[in-house]
Amino acid sequence: MAAKANTNGQATPTPVTIGSLTDIKVVVPGININLAGVLQSTNHSSRRLAIICHGVLGHKNYLFQPNIANTLAPHMDTFRFDFRGNGDSEGHMGYSNWDDDKADLDAVISHFEGQGYYIYALIGHSRGAISCLNYAATTEHVPMIPYIVSISSRFDMSDVKRKHGPEVMELLEKQGHFDWQARTGGKDITLRVTQQHFDDFLNFDTAAVAHIPSMTNVLLIHGSDDDVVPVKDITSLQSHLSHARTAMRIITNADHNYRKHYNELSQIVGDYFSAEGRKADWTRRILPNWKTWVHAVGGVLNFRTVGDIWIPSKTDGTVSYLRPGIIYRCADISKPTPEGIKVLEALNITDVFDLRSNSETERRGTFEGDYIKRHHTPVFAEVDYSPAQIALRFKMYLGGTEGFAQAYMSMMPNIRNFLPPILEHIVKKKTPFIVHCTAGKDRTGVTCALLQMICGVDEEQIAWEYELTRRCMAIKEEDVNFLKAAIGGESSDAQVRGVLSTNEEYMNRFLEEFHAKYGTITDFLVNELDMTLEDIQAVRDVLLVKIPVPRAAM
């Protein structure tokens, strides 16, 4: 008696392709077999690559895989391939060959890293999802793969007994094997499953997902009507991945293969990887902590710490952690309440770096406590605060994204005025400090961006952190009136308030201009501030904690 797999192996119609498709063969080292796959590329400058893995008896064009690749095309390149013995790949498929899946994945990853790609995501369906999760949990791959998408992954491996049915289980017990007949890729196959194969499948450690690094983002997706893998398995997975970077989606009425739900599934994956989706997920994680900080100091607006950021290394098996509670940023700190001063002292803040001009400090005042020393480190010289210069600079801001980038770049020739004292404090004093200007967004935002760049923080995240200012409403009527007067009444109240707000696009454009002119942050520090590599590393050594093994269990 043979067990029959109810599997449609025919390729589904491929959507209109975005980008180019290239057939690629990847050799698995040691055994010299070729894996067949398709690279879908739109030549992204980021060189990000998602690897898409099919389920049991599937192949690279099976079900919704072309749809997902197409949906991701605006965000990254993708490679979907056939595991050994499946589709057009060489070798033999197996029932419980988890090590083979891992070796195949490793071969594909190594191949594309050799082509200059950054492996950004592993996306798997059913068995392919199990293999993706297992790879993330058990490999020591460097750098860490930042995203895993698990679609209909099994957690309770023993449920496979229900899937095969009692007759097959009885046959396995009587003769020690059963022949699994199926159709895949347009071919009929028979796969002999021995008792050892079956036991190996049952004993596969799906709970190892708990060892996926907590810095890895995991998206779990399941169909509510899945009769192959019960929907309860997604909750078991989620409980073992119960950290802030795990998200879960249930697609109503979808079965295991998402028939009639390809577009919905693909859209969920596409939205997750879009700039808006990544930002929304980061914001969801960061806002509770931000809300704790932003009103913590009475009399001070836009207060927060810059830190609590994980930075995976791309060169070795480490993760760096940007310590919170060293760098603080805020708006004008001239009038903290007595309770606010107590908070500053409780945070062990010893120094304040005031980026404002003399005219601003005269107009709004300064603060220096019994235990807190103020350092006047103006970004602009006093001559830059003549009425004409103020009007010129604020008119830059009225120019939107390009205007903000131009205004921020205008700070760079004055870098020796304000950044070296802060870096010296970090290295020599090593105590918590505040950086601030008037609104705590432009001069403060650029200074904090530079500090994060030194630490290697992802620049997309730098832009998101910068934009948090717009949430705190650090806009005073006196600032609005001052700017309107400085600009000369040529702009509306709404335009002036826009100048006093933030948008991630402003920071992103500034960073593009910065790199175009100065190169890397290391180039900038060496060429503009005469710092040595040892000087730069000394700053990092204070701000960062380096963790040797990036495991969630730590």
Side-chain angles (χ1 to χ4, degrees), residues 15 140 235 289 398 479 483 513 544 548:
E140 295 297 331
T235 61
N289 191 45
L398 289 172
D479 295 328
L483 288 187
E513 291 286 328
L544 298 171

Side-chain angles (χ1 to χ4, degrees), residues 15-293:
V16 177
T17 301
I18 299 175
S20 62
L21 299 180
T22 305
D23 291 329
I24 290 178
K25 300 281 188 180
V26 175
V27 178
V28 180
I31 56 174
N32 203 34
I33 64 171
N34 289 302
L35 305 176
V38 176
L39 175 68
Q40 185 161 342
S41 174
T42 49
N43 297 313
H44 290 280
S45 59
S46 67
R47 299 290 286 171
R48 289 174 174 173
L49 182 74
I51 297 172
I52 303 175
C53 302
H54 62 76
V56 66
L57 303 176
H59 51 82
K60 57 186 172 295
N61 292 319
Y62 188 53
L63 301 173
F64 45 76
Q65 291 184 193
N67 296 64
I68 287 180
N70 236 25
T71 303
L72 290 179
H75 312 301
M76 66 192 80
D77 291 352
T78 60
F79 182 70
R80 55 189 193 269
F81 75 100
D82 301 327
F83 281 107
R84 68 182 69 179
N86 289 265
D88 298 318
S89 288
E90 299 171 352
H92 301 282
M93 71 171 66
Y95 186 82
S96 57
N97 55 335
W98 302 108
D99 289 342
D100 290 349
D101 286 4
K102 186 175 179 180
D104 290 355
L105 257 177
D106 209 45
V108 169
I109 289 169
S110 297
H111 173 85
F112 282 100
E113 285 182 329
Q115 302 297 314
Y117 273 103
Y118 173 36
I119 309 304
Y120 195 63
L122 299 181
I123 301 172
H125 172 235
S126 195
R127 182 193 175 103
I130 298 174
S131 294
C132 288
L133 291 167
N134 180 58
Y135 191 89
T138 61
T139 185
E140 295 297 331
H141 180 266
V142 177
M144 278 191 337
I145 297 169
Y147 287 92
I148 308 293
V149 177
S150 165
I151 304 170
S152 302
S153 179
R154 187 179 294 281
F155 183 82
D156 178 8
M157 303 301 278
S158 67
D159 182 67
V160 74
K161 296 177 182 178
R162 175 190 61 82
K163 175 186 171 184
H164 285 303
E167 291 185 17
V168 172
M169 293 300 97
E170 184 180 351
L171 188 66
L172 181 64
E173 184 177 351
K174 285 182 177 179
Q175 64 183 34
H177 73 269
F178 65 85
D179 291 323
W180 192 23
Q181 295 178 352
R183 184 171 179 81
T184 175
K187 298 178 292 185
D188 292 320
I189 66 159
T190 299
L191 187 65
R192 173 152 294 189
V193 180
T194 67
Q195 185 68 59
Q196 184 64 55
H197 294 151
F198 198 74
D199 290 345
D200 288 346
F201 187 95
L202 294 181
N203 294 327
F204 184 77
D205 185 15
T206 53
V209 296
H211 298 296
I212 292 176
S214 60
M215 295 76 72
T216 301
N217 302 277
V218 181
L219 174 62
L220 305 173
I221 305 174
H222 218 97
S224 68
D225 293 355
D226 191 335
D227 61 358
V228 176
V229 177
V231 71
K232 68 179 177 62
D233 279 29
I234 193 176
T235 61
S236 298
L237 281 168
Q238 196 274 340
S239 70
H240 284 73
L241 291 163
S242 55
H243 55 72
R245 292 178 182 265
T246 300
M248 186 167 66
R249 307 282 190 273
I250 304 291
I251 299 182
T252 304
N253 299 326
D255 63 12
H256 186 69
N257 289 333
Y258 298 86
R259 293 180 178 86
K260 299 183 181 180
H261 294 273
Y262 287 5
N263 291 339
E264 186 177 357
L265 172 64
S266 300
Q267 194 60 52
I268 286 173
V269 176
D271 289 346
Y272 182 70
F273 282 107
S274 68
E276 296 80 7
R278 294 194 305 273
K279 179 181 175 183
D281 193 56
W282 178 85
T283 302
R284 174 183 61 81
R285 296 197 308 269
I286 206 72
L287 275 187
N289 191 45
W290 174 82
K291 288 176 180 177
T292 299
W293 285 114

Side-chain angles (χ1 to χ4, degrees), residues 48 309 311 452 456-463:
R48 289 174 174 173
I309 300 171
I311 309 162
Q452 290 177 82
V457 177
D458 185 272
E459 293 188 358
E460 185 175 61
Q461 189 167 334
I462 291 174

